[in-house]
Amino acid sequence: MLGIGSGLIVAPAHSRAPEPPPVWHDDVTSRLEVLALLQTLNANLLSHASATLTLEQWCGAHHLAPDAKIVAERVLGEDKPLPADGRTQLGIGPDEPVRYRRVQLACGEHVLSEADNWYVPSRLTEAMNEALDTTDTPFGKVVQSLHFRRQTLTAELLWSPLPQGWESGAPLPAAQGAALSIPHHVLQHRAVLFDQANRPFSLVVESYTSQVLAFTPPSR
């Protein structure tokens, strides 16, 4: 869900080492706040076409960096196999070539999202494939002339600070008096891009990190 025409800066890089998780106290109030924040971010992402602009607004609203600007860093030298059902999602046979791109979206020192993108080069133009192979231009900008649409397949919280059924009376975790343990990835979206002929040409998995919470908790 990379933004198009948003002034996005792209730089090649090796994958950044994960930052330390943000410090939130392990108590019921903080857990409720974290859950509300993650659900709010998820809703914002689903209701806007550009994750880049959504993250930029989130960065500014929560003062994650002096300059609320999202930088896309293309990660070179890494590859991931297509997910097991990826060929079905892309509507291609077992021998159709698929290429891979990985990008990190960062605000200041915080990597907020890591995006894995598998695309079908035969469904792009020669110029598009050359740009993707030889430049760091964002994928969405390269394929903009396809006037593509995005279909979100899944949007899920990968971690919840509260147990299932907490709103129905399930026991809440006891306050530990320490930092809340937050995993690296907290939210994930999976989507397919379709061209004007309704052919799928890209499968993207966007994994949002705990750094979206790297600010002073509102209750402190």
Side-chain angles (χ1 to χ4, degrees), residues 108-218:
E109 297 301 314
H110 305 291
V111 173
L112 306 183
S113 173
E114 298 167 347
D116 298 303
N117 183 9
W118 296 268
Y119 62 96
V120 183
S122 66
R123 294 181 177 172
L124 306 182
T125 67
E126 183 177 346
M128 290 175 185
N129 282 309
E130 182 178 1
L132 291 171
D133 288 341
T134 61
T135 76
D136 298 306
T137 307
F139 186 85
K141 185 173 183 179
V142 170
V143 302
Q144 184 175 7
S145 63
L146 295 179
H147 303 289
F148 62 88
R149 67 177 178 86
R150 175 188 173 100
Q151 178 182 333
T152 300
L153 302 176
T154 60
E156 61 178 324
L157 293 181
L158 300 178
W159 167 78
S160 175
L162 292 172
Q164 185 174 3
W166 68 270
E167 73 280 7
S168 300
L172 297 178
Q176 300 296 320
L180 180 63
S181 178
I182 305 176
H184 180 57
H185 290 135
V186 294
L187 174 66
Q188 188 174 85
H189 285 192
R190 178 171 170 157
V192 174
L193 304 184
F194 293 82
D195 63 18
Q196 286 181 297
N198 207 37
R199 296 184 306 172
F201 65 89
S202 171
L203 172 65
V204 61
V205 176
E206 298 154 343
S207 301
Y208 297 89
T209 79
S210 62
Q211 294 303 301
V212 300
L213 300 169
F215 54 87
T216 302

Side-chain angles (χ1 to χ4, degrees), residues 1 41-51 53-54 57 150 152:
M1 196 191 288
L41 176 60
N42 190 36
N44 289 346
L45 289 165
L46 287 172
S47 61
H48 292 83
S50 170
L53 294 179
T54 300
Q57 292 167 358
R150 175 188 173 100
T152 300

Side-chain angles (χ1 to χ4, degrees), residues 13-18 73-76 78 102 104 111 114:
H14 294 292
S15 182
R16 292 195 196 184
E73 299 177 346
R74 184 181 171 196
V75 179
L76 304 177
E78 293 188 14
R102 179 175 175 83
Q104 293 180 327
V111 173
E114 298 167 347

Side-chain angles (χ1 to χ4, degrees), residues 27-130:
D27 56 43
V28 172
T29 298
S30 293
R31 286 175 178 268
L32 284 167
E33 290 172 345
V34 167
L35 181 59
L37 286 163
L38 292 179
Q39 290 176 333
T40 297
L41 176 60
N42 190 36
N44 289 346
L45 289 165
L46 287 172
S47 61
H48 292 83
S50 170
T52 300
L53 294 179
T54 300
L55 289 177
E56 204 159 83
Q57 292 167 358
W58 184 269
C59 180
H62 297 95
H63 310 291
L64 294 178
D67 182 16
K69 187 71 175 178
I70 294 295
V71 177
E73 299 177 346
R74 184 181 171 196
V75 179
L76 304 177
E78 293 188 14
D79 200 358
K80 285 186 179 181
L82 188 65
D85 60 348
R87 291 187 175 274
T88 299
Q89 299 292 349
L90 290 170
I92 55 176
D95 299 321
E96 181 74 32
V98 176
R99 294 181 186 169
Y100 171 78
R101 258 189 163 208
R102 179 175 175 83
V103 170
Q104 293 180 327
L105 297 183
C107 183
E109 297 301 314
H110 305 291
V111 173
L112 306 183
S113 173
E114 298 167 347
D116 298 303
N117 183 9
W118 296 268
Y119 62 96
V120 183
S122 66
R123 294 181 177 172
L124 306 182
T125 67
E126 183 177 346
M128 290 175 185
N129 282 309
E130 182 178 1

